[in-house]
Amino acid sequence: MNLKMMMAVVATVGLGAACGSDPVTVQGTTTISKGQELSDLQAALQAGAIDEKEYESLRQRILKRPN
């Protein structure tokens, strides 16, 4: 996943978390694994795109989501 796509994913998930709404509904299919999402999330944290609080919130949402 390139950085531009990763930031779009983080921004989309982050917007859902920020407004306190239900999880984002995605139509279609995706081939991105939880492991890849977590790796991308870690990269976003290291790049300074998100802070530690956002990272932990998003990490928990990813882990709680069914496979």
Side-chain angles (χ1 to χ4, degrees):
M1 177 181 288
N2 64 35
L3 183 58
K4 186 175 181 180
M5 181 183 261
M6 177 183 68
M7 296 309 295
V9 169
V10 169
T12 300
V13 174
L15 288 174
C19 66
S21 65
D22 291 328
V24 175
T25 301
V26 177
Q27 294 183 353
T29 61
T30 182
T31 58
I32 301 171
S33 67
K34 281 186 180 183
Q36 183 62 52
E37 284 186 275
L38 292 169
S39 177
D40 292 344
L41 190 61
Q42 180 69 37
L45 175 64
Q46 291 174 343
I50 59 174
D51 63 26
E52 189 70 38
K53 185 177 178 181
E54 292 168 309
Y55 168 81
E56 189 56 36
S57 174
L58 293 169
R59 187 178 78 81
Q60 289 301 319
R61 288 179 69 180
I62 292 167
L63 292 173
K64 288 179 183 177
R65 200 174 58 228
N67 291 338

